[in-house]
Amino acid sequence: MHNRKLTHITWLMVLIFIFNYLAASCLHYFLSYAPQAYQINTSSFKHLVDDLLAHAPIYAITITTYFLIFALFISLLILSELLIHHQLSWQTFLSAVKRPKLYGFVLALTIMLLPLNELGLKIPVANYMTIPQTFMAMIANPFILAGLSLLYLLILFFILRLKHIPYYLIIDGIKQESLIKKSWQATQKSAWHHFRQLGFIFVQIAFAFAILSGIQFLIDIANHRNWSVFTANLFTSLLAGVLYFYTATILYLFLSNPDQERQVQTRQNFAHIALIRAVLFLIIIGFSTIYLSGKQLKVTHQSYLVIAHMGISSKSDIPNTIKNLKKVHATHPDYVEIDIQKTKDGQYVLSHDPAIKNQEDKSYQISDYTWNQLKDITFLHENQKTTLSNFKDYLMLANDLKQKLLVEVKFSQTVSNQELKAFSEDFGQLLAENKAQLQSLNQNSLLRIDQFLDNDLGLLSPIQNDVNQSKLSQFYAIESSSLTQKTITQATSVNKTIYAWTINSHKEIQTTYAIGVTGFITDYPAKTRQYLEKISDRPHYALVPTGTLLLKRSDF
């Protein structure tokens, strides 16, 4: 990398950070005017539609804001391209803005680079297109992961062959020529070089994380939690800056001049001022990112709850079955978390999904069949035969074992007050005896069932949520990749508890404990408790920078 290129990447890094921060602030502003989810009436389809129509203007403004953010991202790329090639003028800028092909290419590029953002990069707009964790869990199989990784590498190589399309559209002003063919020919000799360069970028990122994690490990050995938290914050900030720098480096690949690539490039030494400026802005952006996004850690030594996810003690167990209740109870979890679905005749059964398939692959929608029709159906889970468990039977056995439950009630999108009252009449006394907690994605149903039950209620959410003083939720169960220290601080200030799911690895346990999470929903309750006892006794922050920045959702 030579001096001129380093200067361009540095300023592009600054522009990307400013853009991401302003875009996030703008979105959060408009979203603050949208109604809280528990206020949206889901007692009937008509009430739901009426509520959505009543708030249609703010929803329309929010959606429009997303489109404007994308248009501004296009403008940022045009501005950067023109500045890099000394072609900036109002006329050339307006001319480029009017090219629909540029919008199509950038949208496709953003989608194709989405997996890189999931790895920690800060590519604008891609921040708002997250890959669902359920999908990530589906590809955890090593063979599937290897196959998809190979496919994605081929896609990346293809994208690099088309990297000059923005240049031809913005600088050359080409409208009619085959841009794909022209870029393909121009990158014939340079594509492998840039592909290796892209690979080297991720090697450098991995090396930076490994070095700082190793240093953090040595600092943790000193057993001084204050120093460990300080250095963890320091290293996390530096690594956030590194991620921004390499985000700019990758985007710069798509802003280069094809004519220059045909020439033999000679290495040049950095001018000291360019190198100092790059490092200085990297540090400033890194610290600003961590501070503004609420990722800075505080010294914590909190109590914790271990919650057995879907009623299992390990991944080999069949989830949500009464047969495993005694087994998971023997691991001494504070709560056993289960999922329940309503049958056609108003009973409830344990199931994460709304439908099951029998051994002949016939599908049964639980809400369309009675308990008598469902109870004898044998279906497979990970090649193990099982049957549905009745919720009342499960609850009664849990009470006999003195085992508290965390019950996720899978209410449909609309659920009437009569249905909620019937649920409370059927299970209220047993739930009170159990001191069970209830959670649901349907917040409005929790608001209405609160008049019938005295149990603690909580919001279940796969994304980041603002924690407020509403008496509705005593706790918030949030998917771990969405959690930050800022959420925990909000919860603490209003005496609310945060549960994180699903926490299985040492990295996940370290990170969520470091930010102050109370509840750990895990597939391995015994191992999780054992490790929590260990890290609560002495500092373990070596994996926290990685857990804070990689595979995390982040606006900026």
Side-chain angles (χ1 to χ4, degrees):
M1 186 185 296
H2 53 76
N3 178 53
R4 183 169 174 267
K5 181 178 178 180
L6 178 62
T7 300
H8 289 157
I9 290 174
T10 300
W11 289 116
L12 183 59
M13 171 179 66
V14 173
L15 288 174
I16 292 171
F17 170 72
I18 294 173
F19 177 88
N20 283 349
Y21 175 68
L22 293 179
S25 300
C26 183
L27 270 175
H28 290 165
Y29 174 77
F30 286 116
L31 288 172
S32 68
Y33 286 94
Q36 294 286 337
Y38 68 84
Q39 296 174 324
I40 301 174
N41 194 335
T42 60
S43 60
S44 69
F45 183 74
K46 181 181 182 303
H47 285 136
L48 175 61
V49 171
D50 289 344
D51 254 10
L52 294 177
L53 290 176
H55 298 98
I58 188 62
Y59 293 138
I61 290 172
T62 303
I63 293 171
T64 303
T65 302
Y66 278 107
F67 284 106
L68 288 175
I69 287 172
F70 177 67
L72 289 173
F73 178 44
I74 301 288
S75 300
L76 170 66
L77 292 179
I78 294 172
L79 177 65
S80 300
E81 185 82 86
L82 293 173
L83 283 171
I84 287 170
H85 300 292
H86 307 289
Q87 299 285 332
L88 182 61
S89 70
W90 185 244
Q91 184 177 359
T92 55
F93 179 81
L94 286 180
S95 179
V97 166
K98 297 175 183 177
R99 300 218 164 88
K101 288 183 179 180
L102 182 61
Y103 290 79
F105 177 81
V106 174
L107 177 60
L109 177 65
T110 302
I111 294 172
M112 291 300 101
L113 295 181
L114 175 59
L116 301 186
N117 251 37
E118 292 291 317
L119 294 176
L121 296 185
K122 307 293 182 180
I123 299 166
V125 179
N127 301 32
Y128 308 113
M129 305 179 192
T130 56
I131 298 176
Q133 288 297 312
T134 51
F135 175 78
M136 298 300 293
M138 289 170 57
I139 64 172
N141 183 289
F143 295 104
I144 297 177
L145 189 60
L148 290 177
S149 298
L150 180 59
L151 176 62
Y152 185 66
L153 290 176
L154 293 174
I155 292 173
L156 278 181
F157 184 75
F158 179 77
I159 293 171
L160 289 172
R161 294 300 303 268
L162 307 180
K163 65 189 286 292
H164 292 312
I165 288 179
Y167 179 88
Y168 293 137
L169 286 169
I170 297 170
I171 303 299
D172 288 352
I174 297 174
K175 298 180 181 179
Q176 304 301 329
E177 287 187 48
S178 174
L179 297 172
I180 293 177
K181 181 179 179 181
K182 191 173 179 65
S183 180
W184 197 270
Q185 292 172 342
T187 56
Q188 188 173 1
K189 295 182 179 180
S190 62
W192 278 111
H193 166 73
H194 289 303
F195 191 71
R196 290 193 300 269
Q197 184 180 358
L198 198 60
F200 187 57
I201 284 173
F202 285 97
V203 170
Q204 290 175 306
I205 292 175
F207 182 75
F209 273 86
I211 288 294
L212 293 184
S213 295
I215 297 174
Q216 182 67 53
F217 176 79
L218 296 175
I219 292 171
D220 289 343
I221 292 175
N223 197 22
H224 195 294
R225 195 173 294 273
N226 286 358
W227 275 108
S228 288
V229 170
F230 172 79
T231 53
N233 280 323
L234 174 64
F235 295 158
T236 303
S237 299
L238 292 174
L239 291 170
V242 167
L243 290 172
Y244 258 106
F245 178 82
Y246 283 117
T247 298
T249 303
I250 291 172
L251 288 181
Y252 183 80
L253 286 174
F254 296 88
L255 302 176
S256 58
N257 185 341
D259 295 327
Q260 291 177 346
E261 294 194 1
R262 297 191 182 99
Q263 304 168 3
V264 178
Q265 295 185 2
T266 57
R267 289 187 175 274
Q268 302 178 25
N269 293 326
F270 292 120
H272 291 305
I273 189 165
L275 183 58
I276 292 171
R277 180 171 55 223
V279 173
L280 180 63
F281 278 117
L282 183 152
I283 293 172
I284 292 173
I285 288 174
F287 276 86
S288 299
T289 298
I290 298 306
Y291 176 76
L292 294 172
S293 63
K295 287 188 172 70
Q296 70 275 17
L297 304 176
K298 299 178 181 178
V299 178
T300 58
H301 198 96
Q302 74 274 16
S303 58
Y304 50 81
L305 299 172
V306 175
I307 303 167
H309 184 226
M310 294 196 294
I312 60 176
S313 58
S314 71
K315 277 286 192 180
S316 62
D317 291 346
I318 301 175
N320 286 309
T321 56
I322 196 169
K323 293 178 182 178
N324 283 326
L325 180 53
K326 289 184 179 180
K327 182 179 179 182
V328 71
H329 172 69
T331 65
H332 307 294
D334 296 290
Y335 286 89
V336 170
E337 187 261 352
I338 56 172
D339 309 276
I340 62 172
Q341 308 270 358
K342 184 185 174 187
T343 65
K344 185 178 181 179
D345 56 342
Q347 297 201 50
Y348 285 82
V349 295
L350 273 64
S351 178
H352 180 273
D353 300 320
I356 58 172
K357 287 185 178 181
N358 67 5
Q359 292 176 274
E360 288 74 39
D361 208 36
K362 180 182 177 181
S363 180
Y364 293 83
Q365 192 74 20
I366 292 174
S367 59
D368 293 339
Y369 293 86
T370 66
W371 166 239
N372 283 333
Q373 292 172 311
L374 292 167
K375 64 182 181 180
D376 295 324
I377 296 174
T378 300
F379 62 98
L380 293 176
H381 176 82
E382 301 292 339
N383 296 319
Q384 298 183 72
K385 293 181 181 180
T386 187
T387 56
L388 288 173
S389 297
N390 184 282
F391 174 50
K392 180 168 283 188
D393 293 339
Y394 194 99
L395 183 52
M396 292 174 66
L397 178 57
N399 286 350
D400 289 342
L401 296 171
K402 307 298 182 184
Q403 175 61 66
K404 293 182 181 178
L405 300 180
L406 171 59
V407 183
E408 180 183 345
V409 189
K410 301 272 190 175
F411 290 126
S412 63
Q413 189 176 21
T414 57
V415 54
S416 68
N417 288 340
Q418 187 59 39
E419 289 175 288
L420 296 176
K421 184 178 180 181
F423 176 86
S424 304
E425 289 173 349
D426 288 341
F427 305 107
Q429 186 174 349
L430 291 171
L431 289 169
E433 179 186 341
N434 186 264
K435 294 186 173 62
Q437 296 184 334
L438 274 65
Q439 62 180 1
S440 178
L441 285 167
N442 189 333
Q443 290 187 67
N444 185 255
S445 65
L446 294 178
L447 175 66
R448 289 179 285 123
I449 205 173
D450 188 42
Q451 62 184 306
F452 305 118
L453 295 175
D454 292 328
N455 299 74
D456 286 346
L457 305 176
L459 164 65
L460 175 70
S461 177
I463 60 174
Q464 178 70 19
N465 276 272
D466 287 331
V467 179
N468 55 50
Q469 296 182 1
S470 167
K471 295 181 180 179
L472 171 64
S473 297
Q474 282 76 44
F475 64 93
Y476 291 75
I478 301 177
E479 201 276 318
S480 61
S481 68
S482 296
L483 279 171
T484 67
Q485 177 71 61
K486 187 176 183 179
T487 308
I488 308 301
T489 302
Q490 287 179 341
T492 302
S493 67
V494 292
N495 297 316
K496 300 294 177 69
T497 303
I498 298 294
Y499 297 168
W501 53 276
T502 305
I503 309 300
N504 290 330
S505 69
H506 283 185
K507 181 183 73 174
E508 292 167 335
I509 298 172
Q510 275 192 31
T511 304
T512 47
Y513 182 85
I515 63 176
V517 164
T518 298
F520 297 79
I521 302 177
T522 175
D523 295 325
Y524 303 95
K527 292 180 179 179
T528 298
R529 184 179 297 282
Q530 183 180 21
Y531 192 65
L532 280 167
E533 290 173 353
K534 184 177 180 180
I535 67 175
S536 64
D537 184 54
R538 54 184 301 126
H540 282 72
Y541 290 86
L543 300 177
V544 169
T546 304
T548 302
L549 296 173
L550 302 186
L551 300 174
K552 290 287 185 179
R553 298 187 184 117
S554 177
D555 289 341
F556 56 89

